[in-house]
Amino acid sequence: MTARTGGEDDATRGVGLSSKLLVLTVLFVMIAEILIFVPSVANFRLNWLGDRLAAAQTAALVIEAAPDGMIPRALEREVLAQIGVHTISVKHGDTRRLLAFSDMPPMVDSSVDLRTTTSFEAIIEAFGTLLAQQPRTIRAVGAHPRQGDFIEIVMDETPLRTAMLRFARNITILSLIISAITAALVYVALLWMFVRPMRRMHANMMAFRAAPEEPGRVIVPSLRRDEIGQAEVELQRMQRELQGTLQQKTHLAALGLAVAKINHDLRNILASAQLFSDRLTTVKDPTVQRLMPKVLGALDRAIALCQATLAYGKAVEPPPTRRRFPLAPLVDEVGTVLGLSEEGPIAWVVRIDRSLEIDADPDQLFRVLLNLGRNAVQALEAIEDRSGRRDSVTVRARREGSVVIIEMADTGPGVPDAARARLFQPFTGSQRRGGTGLGLPIAAELVKGHGGAITLAEGTLGATFLVTVPDRPIELAERRVERARA
């Protein structure tokens, strides 16, 4: 399937970037050559006419210098033939004089005055000459050496058109050669600087897509410091982050499968333990009667937790079943499950008003405090030198309006700075060898389901976590009924 997909990509990709670049380069160079070609042809026409006028000026000087202004008719025709014109005339002051003319001067089809012709007019007239279908006769006027005078000639346009076509052909061939060389140089430069690095990045993306978890598929940036080099660096960073995410998801998938297997057997074992515990309730021993409700409650809670174990793997916890209840007894039960007391080596100190009530799901809040308490105990037990130490885990709580704030503080080494940024991310927040890194993420998700939050307090001795749980918003009428009952 992968091979077919790659073939489809090659088939649907169409013209490559290098081919498009070559076509655009040739096109742009040709446009530049055309912009040079057009004024060049127009300028060639003006220069050609200027040369004929210059030759006519020389002939006019010779004719005017002849005795009585008369020259033999045969010589006059020869001069006109050498210049390639039909007539030569000059203007002196208010007098206009025809110096030489052919036997039958033709009718003039168009005129051009080199003294006043603009560049745009020169271009239009040049293309008119090139595109003329029939032979034409033109009249050209130029400046005379004497100020205020001018000289004009009448001539056939065919020699001019022939010369212009020859010039256009030559400049077109030269333009094509220059365009080809320039396009090749520009293409090679752009291919080397841009297309080849982009092809390399594209090939790396395709290889990385085929096996994103292989470290060898991550691109190695070149030493370029321009935008291409920056793009390679960013691509490498993105690929590494994606590899980390994929590895984490693979870990989650493997953990989910293992938890599913363990959950099935553990639930059966706990159900059997629950049956045995039910029989112990008939024992008359006072200690058994005092402890059995807590044991049964712990078993019920463990069975319910097993049934919802996979919920975290789906990134969804069941919505809390909230009710108002006293907070202090729940905190006492957490200490009992952790095996802590106020007189033990690690003291479990509860500083909560016994009348303080909280609006929460008791089982989910129990899991939150149990995870926080277990992390605190593990941090304290990890201290190597415990001689002469008596550590403690202190739980305080207070109500601020409609929000209950629970504070759990320990006297341990605190949370390292390196772990603070990833404290509530699965599998990354644990600093203890063998820890899963799931306790705090689970607790944070459960509190979030109540509309609250867990934060790590700054500037405290040891680690201090603050759990805020807001009351449910209720209608004003319900609140009045509760106050009346109170």
Short mmCIF file of all heavy atoms in Angstrom, two decimals, residues 92-124:
data_model
loop_
_atom_site.label_atom_id
_atom_site.label_comp_id
_atom_site.label_asym_id
_atom_site.label_seq_id
_atom_site.Cartn_x
_atom_site.Cartn_y
_atom_site.Cartn_z
N HIS A 92 16.48 77.71 -46.28
CA HIS A 92 17.31 78.77 -45.73
C HIS A 92 16.41 79.95 -45.44
O HIS A 92 15.87 80.57 -46.38
CB HIS A 92 18.42 79.17 -46.71
CG HIS A 92 19.38 78.06 -47.03
ND1 HIS A 92 20.13 77.43 -46.07
CD2 HIS A 92 19.69 77.47 -48.21
CE1 HIS A 92 20.89 76.51 -46.64
NE2 HIS A 92 20.64 76.50 -47.96
N GLY A 93 16.25 80.24 -44.15
CA GLY A 93 15.39 81.36 -43.81
C GLY A 93 13.97 81.06 -44.22
O GLY A 93 13.39 80.07 -43.82
N ASP A 94 13.44 81.94 -45.07
CA ASP A 94 12.07 81.73 -45.56
C ASP A 94 12.06 81.09 -46.93
O ASP A 94 10.99 80.94 -47.54
CB ASP A 94 11.33 83.07 -45.62
CG ASP A 94 11.17 83.69 -44.23
OD1 ASP A 94 11.12 82.90 -43.25
OD2 ASP A 94 11.10 84.93 -44.13
N THR A 95 13.21 80.74 -47.42
CA THR A 95 13.31 80.20 -48.78
C THR A 95 13.53 78.70 -48.71
O THR A 95 14.40 78.21 -47.96
CB THR A 95 14.47 80.86 -49.55
OG1 THR A 95 14.29 82.27 -49.55
CG2 THR A 95 14.53 80.33 -50.97
N ARG A 96 12.76 77.97 -49.52
CA ARG A 96 12.90 76.52 -49.62
C ARG A 96 13.36 76.20 -51.04
O ARG A 96 12.71 76.60 -52.02
CB ARG A 96 11.58 75.83 -49.31
CG ARG A 96 11.68 74.30 -49.29
CD ARG A 96 10.38 73.71 -48.83
NE ARG A 96 10.41 72.27 -48.77
CZ ARG A 96 9.41 71.51 -48.35
NH1 ARG A 96 8.28 72.10 -47.93
NH2 ARG A 96 9.51 70.20 -48.37
N ARG A 97 14.45 75.47 -51.18
CA ARG A 97 15.07 75.25 -52.48
C ARG A 97 15.21 73.76 -52.73
O ARG A 97 15.70 73.03 -51.88
CB ARG A 97 16.43 75.94 -52.53
CG ARG A 97 17.16 75.75 -53.85
CD ARG A 97 18.52 76.41 -53.75
NE ARG A 97 19.30 76.18 -54.97
CZ ARG A 97 20.59 76.48 -55.12
NH1 ARG A 97 21.24 77.04 -54.09
NH2 ARG A 97 21.22 76.25 -56.28
N LEU A 98 14.81 73.33 -53.93
CA LEU A 98 14.98 71.95 -54.36
C LEU A 98 16.33 71.84 -55.05
O LEU A 98 16.53 72.38 -56.14
CB LEU A 98 13.84 71.54 -55.31
CG LEU A 98 13.86 70.10 -55.83
CD1 LEU A 98 13.71 69.12 -54.67
CD2 LEU A 98 12.75 69.90 -56.86
N LEU A 99 17.28 71.16 -54.44
CA LEU A 99 18.64 71.08 -54.96
C LEU A 99 18.79 69.99 -56.00
O LEU A 99 19.51 70.17 -56.99
CB LEU A 99 19.63 70.85 -53.82
CG LEU A 99 19.71 71.94 -52.76
CD1 LEU A 99 20.74 71.57 -51.71
CD2 LEU A 99 20.06 73.29 -53.40
N ALA A 100 18.16 68.83 -55.78
CA ALA A 100 18.31 67.71 -56.73
C ALA A 100 17.05 66.88 -56.71
O ALA A 100 16.42 66.73 -55.65
CB ALA A 100 19.52 66.86 -56.38
N PHE A 101 16.72 66.36 -57.88
CA PHE A 101 15.51 65.54 -57.94
C PHE A 101 15.62 64.59 -59.11
O PHE A 101 16.39 64.82 -60.06
CB PHE A 101 14.27 66.44 -58.10
CG PHE A 101 14.30 67.31 -59.32
CD1 PHE A 101 13.73 66.88 -60.53
CD2 PHE A 101 14.92 68.55 -59.30
CE1 PHE A 101 13.77 67.68 -61.65
CE2 PHE A 101 14.96 69.35 -60.43
CZ PHE A 101 14.38 68.91 -61.61
N SER A 102 14.86 63.49 -59.04
CA SER A 102 14.85 62.51 -60.11
C SER A 102 13.90 62.99 -61.21
O SER A 102 13.26 64.03 -61.08
CB SER A 102 14.40 61.15 -59.59
OG SER A 102 13.09 61.26 -59.04
N ASP A 103 13.85 62.22 -62.32
CA ASP A 103 13.02 62.63 -63.44
C ASP A 103 11.56 62.75 -63.04
O ASP A 103 10.87 63.69 -63.43
CB ASP A 103 13.17 61.61 -64.59
CG ASP A 103 14.58 61.64 -65.17
OD1 ASP A 103 15.26 62.69 -65.02
OD2 ASP A 103 15.01 60.62 -65.71
N MET A 104 11.05 61.75 -62.24
CA MET A 104 9.64 61.79 -61.84
C MET A 104 9.56 61.43 -60.35
O MET A 104 9.45 60.26 -59.99
CB MET A 104 8.83 60.80 -62.66
CG MET A 104 7.34 60.82 -62.31
SD MET A 104 6.55 62.42 -62.59
CE MET A 104 6.62 62.54 -64.37
N PRO A 105 9.67 62.40 -59.46
CA PRO A 105 9.60 62.10 -58.01
C PRO A 105 8.26 61.45 -57.65
O PRO A 105 7.21 61.92 -58.11
CB PRO A 105 9.75 63.48 -57.35
CG PRO A 105 10.39 64.32 -58.41
CD PRO A 105 9.88 63.82 -59.72
N PRO A 106 8.27 60.37 -56.85
CA PRO A 106 7.02 59.68 -56.51
C PRO A 106 6.24 60.46 -55.44
O PRO A 106 6.75 61.38 -54.81
CB PRO A 106 7.49 58.33 -55.98
CG PRO A 106 8.85 58.60 -55.41
CD PRO A 106 9.45 59.68 -56.28
N MET A 107 4.98 60.01 -55.26
CA MET A 107 4.14 60.59 -54.22
C MET A 107 4.62 60.09 -52.84
O MET A 107 4.99 58.94 -52.67
CB MET A 107 2.68 60.20 -54.43
CG MET A 107 2.08 60.75 -55.73
SD MET A 107 1.96 62.53 -55.74
CE MET A 107 0.77 62.80 -54.45
N VAL A 108 4.58 61.00 -51.87
CA VAL A 108 5.03 60.65 -50.51
C VAL A 108 3.90 59.97 -49.76
O VAL A 108 2.77 60.47 -49.71
CB VAL A 108 5.51 61.92 -49.78
CG1 VAL A 108 5.87 61.57 -48.33
CG2 VAL A 108 6.69 62.54 -50.50
N ASP A 109 4.23 58.79 -49.16
CA ASP A 109 3.23 58.04 -48.38
C ASP A 109 3.26 58.38 -46.89
O ASP A 109 2.23 58.32 -46.21
CB ASP A 109 3.45 56.52 -48.55
CG ASP A 109 3.24 56.07 -49.99
OD1 ASP A 109 2.23 56.49 -50.59
OD2 ASP A 109 4.09 55.31 -50.51
N SER A 110 4.44 58.69 -46.33
CA SER A 110 4.53 59.06 -44.92
C SER A 110 5.73 59.96 -44.72
O SER A 110 6.64 59.98 -45.55
CB SER A 110 4.66 57.82 -44.03
OG SER A 110 5.90 57.19 -44.24
N SER A 111 5.71 60.67 -43.61
CA SER A 111 6.79 61.62 -43.30
C SER A 111 7.30 61.37 -41.89
O SER A 111 6.55 60.92 -41.01
CB SER A 111 6.30 63.07 -43.43
OG SER A 111 5.86 63.35 -44.74
N VAL A 112 8.58 61.68 -41.69
CA VAL A 112 9.18 61.56 -40.38
C VAL A 112 10.12 62.74 -40.19
O VAL A 112 10.95 63.04 -41.06
CB VAL A 112 9.93 60.22 -40.22
CG1 VAL A 112 10.96 60.02 -41.31
CG2 VAL A 112 10.60 60.15 -38.84
N ASP A 113 9.99 63.42 -39.09
CA ASP A 113 10.83 64.57 -38.76
C ASP A 113 11.74 64.15 -37.61
O ASP A 113 11.28 63.98 -36.47
CB ASP A 113 9.98 65.77 -38.38
CG ASP A 113 10.79 67.06 -38.29
OD1 ASP A 113 12.03 66.96 -38.19
OD2 ASP A 113 10.19 68.14 -38.30
N LEU A 114 13.01 63.94 -37.90
CA LEU A 114 13.94 63.47 -36.88
C LEU A 114 14.18 64.51 -35.80
O LEU A 114 14.73 64.20 -34.74
CB LEU A 114 15.29 63.08 -37.52
CG LEU A 114 15.40 61.62 -38.00
CD1 LEU A 114 14.42 61.38 -39.15
CD2 LEU A 114 16.82 61.30 -38.45
N ARG A 115 13.79 65.75 -36.02
CA ARG A 115 14.03 66.79 -35.03
C ARG A 115 13.02 66.72 -33.88
O ARG A 115 13.33 67.11 -32.75
CB ARG A 115 13.94 68.16 -35.70
CG ARG A 115 14.97 68.38 -36.81
CD ARG A 115 14.69 69.67 -37.54
NE ARG A 115 13.36 69.67 -38.15
CZ ARG A 115 12.78 70.75 -38.71
NH1 ARG A 115 13.42 71.89 -38.71
NH2 ARG A 115 11.57 70.64 -39.23
N THR A 116 11.80 66.24 -34.18
CA THR A 116 10.74 66.28 -33.16
C THR A 116 10.16 64.90 -32.81
O THR A 116 9.25 64.82 -32.00
CB THR A 116 9.59 67.17 -33.65
OG1 THR A 116 9.08 66.65 -34.89
CG2 THR A 116 10.08 68.60 -33.87
N THR A 117 10.67 63.84 -33.41
CA THR A 117 10.10 62.50 -33.19
C THR A 117 10.39 62.04 -31.75
O THR A 117 11.55 62.06 -31.31
CB THR A 117 10.67 61.50 -34.18
OG1 THR A 117 10.37 61.93 -35.52
CG2 THR A 117 10.09 60.11 -33.95
N THR A 118 9.36 61.63 -31.03
CA THR A 118 9.53 61.09 -29.68
C THR A 118 9.86 59.60 -29.74
O THR A 118 9.75 58.96 -30.80
CB THR A 118 8.25 61.30 -28.86
OG1 THR A 118 7.17 60.56 -29.47
CG2 THR A 118 7.87 62.77 -28.80
N SER A 119 10.24 59.05 -28.59
CA SER A 119 10.60 57.63 -28.54
C SER A 119 9.39 56.75 -28.87
O SER A 119 9.52 55.76 -29.60
CB SER A 119 11.13 57.28 -27.14
OG SER A 119 12.28 58.02 -26.86
N PHE A 120 8.22 57.10 -28.32
CA PHE A 120 7.03 56.29 -28.59
C PHE A 120 6.67 56.35 -30.08
O PHE A 120 6.34 55.32 -30.69
CB PHE A 120 5.86 56.80 -27.74
CG PHE A 120 4.59 56.04 -27.93
CD1 PHE A 120 4.44 54.77 -27.38
CD2 PHE A 120 3.54 56.58 -28.67
CE1 PHE A 120 3.26 54.06 -27.56
CE2 PHE A 120 2.37 55.88 -28.86
CZ PHE A 120 2.22 54.60 -28.30
N GLU A 121 6.75 57.54 -30.67
CA GLU A 121 6.45 57.67 -32.10
C GLU A 121 7.46 56.89 -32.93
O GLU A 121 7.10 56.27 -33.95
CB GLU A 121 6.46 59.14 -32.51
CG GLU A 121 5.31 59.95 -31.91
CD GLU A 121 5.43 61.43 -32.21
OE1 GLU A 121 6.53 61.86 -32.60
OE2 GLU A 121 4.42 62.14 -32.06
N ALA A 122 8.72 56.90 -32.51
CA ALA A 122 9.75 56.17 -33.24
C ALA A 122 9.46 54.67 -33.23
O ALA A 122 9.65 53.98 -34.24
CB ALA A 122 11.13 56.44 -32.64
N ILE A 123 8.98 54.15 -32.08
CA ILE A 123 8.66 52.72 -32.00
C ILE A 123 7.47 52.39 -32.89
O ILE A 123 7.48 51.39 -33.63
CB ILE A 123 8.37 52.33 -30.53
CG1 ILE A 123 9.66 52.45 -29.69
CG2 ILE A 123 7.82 50.92 -30.43
CD1 ILE A 123 9.44 52.24 -28.21
N ILE A 124 6.43 53.21 -32.87
CA ILE A 124 5.25 52.98 -33.70
C ILE A 124 5.62 53.02 -35.18
O ILE A 124 5.22 52.15 -35.98
CB ILE A 124 4.15 54.02 -33.39
CG1 ILE A 124 3.69 53.89 -31.92
CG2 ILE A 124 2.97 53.83 -34.33
CD1 ILE A 124 3.09 52.56 -31.57
#
